[in-house]
Amino acid sequence: MADTVITSAANPEIKAIRALSTKKGRQEQNAFLSEGLRHVVEAARAGWMIRRLVVADQQTSSPVLEEARLACLDAGGRVITVSGELMTRIARRDNAQSVIAVIEQKTSPLASVTAGPGALWVALESVRDPGNLGSVMRSADAFGARGVILIGHTVDPFSVEAVRATMGAIVNVPMIRCDAAAFLAWRASWPGRVVGTHLAGPHRPEGLRASTPTVLLMGNEQAGLPPEIAKACDTLVRIPMRPGADSLNLAAATAIMLHALAGGAGGLE
Ligand SMILES: C[S@@+](CC[C@H](N)C(=O)[O-])C[C@H]1O[C@@H](n2cnc3c(N)ncnc32)[C@H](O)[C@@H]1O
């Protein structure tokens, strides 16, 4: 099928794509925006469904672009060519990438959180900041975590800011969404350990690395872990800080903890 050329921001298709910058638009369309050819191709290779591929008319053709085009067309999607100016309006920023894709949202059920040797999962309680969530996804990917469990009222993981902050990792890290009650019920039959992080935790991160299946549980940016969830942890860990320091940023603390825990299954270089 030939690519569609669209020149007007008033075109309904462009309006629908621009609406994906809003939470309402993402919910209604069950889709999100991914920017940059490399990230789009990685999404396609990881099995995500590309519904629309928007390509700026100055983008030069390449085998990778052709791979993204075919992935979109094979999934029944459409390839749209637009001017650089229209691309800027879609991305809502200057220096927009010359390839943007509309990708179908995907999350996994709690039942998919399985416990093999060295299995490492991250759970975030009520994470609010899209940059933090994206950075955690990026660290989870880098340290070989199997997925991220989002507990409670969290920021939208498919927001443009969150997706940007993952630097493409969103397509490699399965995401599970549940409320606190479902998490606690699931936790009761989790055969591994749950390592929580808390400013009053009695343990340190050293010595945590093990092949025991582990869920690393991180608290909300303002309130930390609520007591009922902290109680469900086998261990509560505090990362040592200078006396008087308030706390670490959530994403920074997660990266430190993942570094301390990762390696049970090997594979890091
Ligand atoms: C900004 S902190 C929350 C601070 C909050 N005022 C509190 O009292 O917990 C966000 C999350 O990062 C993690 N965190 C931050 N600093 C930490 C530290 N020194 N040790 C362990 N976890 C930490 C915890 O998971 C915490 O819930």
Side-chain angles (χ1 to χ4, degrees), residues 132 196-201 205 217-225 237-241 246-254 257:
N132 275 343
T197 50
H198 202 286
L199 297 181
L217 187 46
M218 307 297 300
N220 163 269
E221 289 94 335
Q222 272 79 45
L225 277 183
V237 174
R238 177 180 185 278
I239 302 164
M241 297 183 297
D246 181 83
S247 62
L248 291 161
N249 158 274
L250 166 63
T254 309
M257 289 300 299

Side-chain angles (χ1 to χ4, degrees), residues 9-268:
N11 178 287
E13 186 119 30
I14 299 297
K15 281 185 167 173
I17 295 172
R18 291 191 81 227
L20 293 172
S21 298
T22 67
K23 189 172 181 186
K24 182 167 172 271
R26 289 190 294 276
Q27 275 172 351
E28 282 172 2
Q29 298 181 45
N30 190 37
F32 67 100
L33 294 174
S34 173
E35 301 166 302
L37 180 56
R38 187 170 61 87
H39 293 162
V40 172
V41 162
E42 282 171 6
R45 289 178 186 165
W48 290 68
M49 191 176 289
I50 316 283
R51 288 193 194 159
R52 294 285 180 272
L53 186 70
V54 186
V55 184
D57 50 14
Q58 77 269 21
Q59 168 74 29
T60 47
S61 61
S62 68
V64 183
L65 179 61
E66 194 48 26
E67 185 181 343
R69 285 186 72 255
L70 290 179
C72 176
L73 295 174
D74 285 351
R78 293 211 301 152
V79 182
I80 299 168
T81 305
V82 299
S83 66
E85 193 196 331
L86 196 43
M87 203 61 151
T88 303
R89 296 196 62 175
I90 291 170
R92 295 174 192 268
R93 67 167 174 181
D94 294 336
N95 301 320
Q97 296 275 354
S98 49
V99 174
I100 293 181
V102 174
I103 301 183
E104 191 160 305
Q105 292 186 14
K106 194 165 60 171
T107 55
S108 307
L110 259 178
S112 67
V113 181
T114 50
L120 175 58
W121 296 83
V122 181
L124 301 177
E125 210 280 322
S126 300
V127 56
R128 290 298 162 152
D129 183 272
N132 275 343
L133 174 51
S135 300
V136 167
M137 299 281 293
R138 191 173 170 184
S139 296
D141 185 32
F143 289 118
R146 301 221 176 151
V148 172
I149 306 169
L150 301 176
I151 306 168
H153 294 291
T154 68
V155 66
D156 181 0
F158 295 107
S159 74
V160 173
E161 298 80 4
V163 174
R164 271 182 198 152
T166 73
M167 288 298 290
I170 190 168
V171 303
N172 297 326
V173 181
M175 250 183 312
I176 293 97
R177 305 190 76 170
C178 61
D179 60 21
F183 176 77
L184 290 171
W186 169 86
R187 187 269 173 276
S189 56
W190 168 247
R193 63 182 173 168
V194 177
V195 174
T197 50
H198 202 286
L199 297 181
H203 300 287
R204 286 176 165 243
E206 294 83 30
L208 282 175
R209 191 168 297 177
S211 60
T212 318
T214 301
V215 174
L216 168 65
L217 187 46
M218 307 297 300
N220 163 269
E221 289 94 335
Q222 272 79 45
L225 277 183
E228 70 279 12
I229 296 210
K231 248 191 269 160
C233 297
D234 298 299
T235 310
L236 283 179
V237 174
R238 177 180 185 278
I239 302 164
M241 297 183 297
R242 171 186 71 75
D246 181 83
S247 62
L248 291 161
N249 158 274
L250 166 63
T254 309
I256 291 169
M257 289 300 299
L258 282 171
H259 184 260
L261 287 163
L268 300 182

